[in-house]
């Protein structure tokens, strides 16, 4: 029997090496909620161009470069659609001295029922693409 399942979610090449801290909204609200992520990268200079390319492929529009801010989504999905199509502001800040990347998803959904936590999957993919590591690995 083949152990490879063609329908499984994509996995990172080395899931044990990616370090991602998260603060994810769970519960019910009437409108906006925020998911926050933080990770550390060895090459902080590569973050902005790679993040712009990453989010543009996902359909987000760059609206500001300082801090790096993206906007995507539509009103109908905010009312009744899936989380990844709801109106979202994605804000990415970097701290050069610590090589830290802070990522914030400000999501607008009316009475959300979160099943997939799409922002977490995207944050994990971005962190993997940028080569996120544990902060202790950068201090050596």
């Amino acid at each position: 029997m083949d152990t490879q399942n063609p329908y499984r979610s994509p996995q990172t090449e080395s899931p044990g090496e990616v370090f991602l801290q998260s603060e994810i909204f769970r519960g019910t609200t009437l409108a906006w909620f925020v998911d926050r992520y933080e990770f550390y990268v060895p090459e902080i200079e590569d973050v902005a161009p790679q993040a712009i390319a990453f989010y543009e492929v996902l359909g987000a529009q760059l609206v500001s470069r300082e801090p790096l801010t993206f906007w995507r989504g539509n009103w109908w999905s905010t009312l009744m659609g899936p989380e990844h199509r709801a109106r979202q502001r994605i804000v990415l800040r970097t701290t050069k001295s610590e090589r830290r990347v802070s990522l914030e998803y400000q999501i607008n959904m009316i009475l959300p029922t979160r099943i997939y936590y799409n922002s977490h999957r995207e944050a994990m993919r971005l962190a993997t693409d940028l080569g996120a590591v544990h902060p202790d690995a950068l201090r050596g």
Side-chain angles (χ1 to χ4, degrees), residues 75-133:
W75 178 246
W76 290 110
S77 292
T78 293
L79 293 174
M80 346 183 300
E83 172 187 334
H84 70 280
R85 296 198 190 278
R87 293 191 303 174
Q88 297 179 18
R89 182 181 302 120
I90 304 164
V91 181
L92 188 139
R93 292 180 177 86
T94 57
T95 307
K96 292 186 190 237
S97 62
E98 298 177 13
R99 294 187 258 184
R100 179 177 55 200
V101 177
S102 301
L103 185 59
E104 189 173 273
Y105 281 78
Q106 301 166 2
I107 304 169
N108 185 8
M109 286 183 74
I110 308 301
L111 295 172
T113 301
R114 296 190 79 186
I115 298 172
Y116 299 112
Y117 296 95
N118 190 64
S119 66
H120 187 267
R121 287 197 311 247
E122 283 184 8
M124 181 61 84
R125 282 188 8 226
L126 180 62
T128 301
D129 289 354
L130 293 172
V133 295

Side-chain angles (χ1 to χ4, degrees), residues 20-89:
L20 178 73
Q21 296 174 322
S22 60
E23 181 184 320
I24 299 173
F25 172 81
R26 290 178 171 82
T28 303
T29 183
L30 292 176
W32 290 94
F33 58 92
V34 177
D35 291 341
R36 291 181 179 88
Y37 303 95
E38 188 173 274
F39 55 91
Y40 297 83
V41 296
E43 300 297 328
I44 198 74
E45 295 80 21
D46 297 340
V47 170
Q50 286 187 357
I52 290 169
F54 179 84
Y55 284 111
E56 284 180 345
V57 166
L58 295 175
Q61 296 176 343
L62 180 65
V63 293
S64 174
R65 289 195 173 267
E66 193 57 44
L68 206 55
T69 306
F70 302 90
W71 180 261
R72 71 174 171 199
N74 62 62
W75 178 246
W76 290 110
S77 292
T78 293
L79 293 174
M80 346 183 300
E83 172 187 334
H84 70 280
R85 296 198 190 278
R87 293 191 303 174
Q88 297 179 18
R89 182 181 302 120

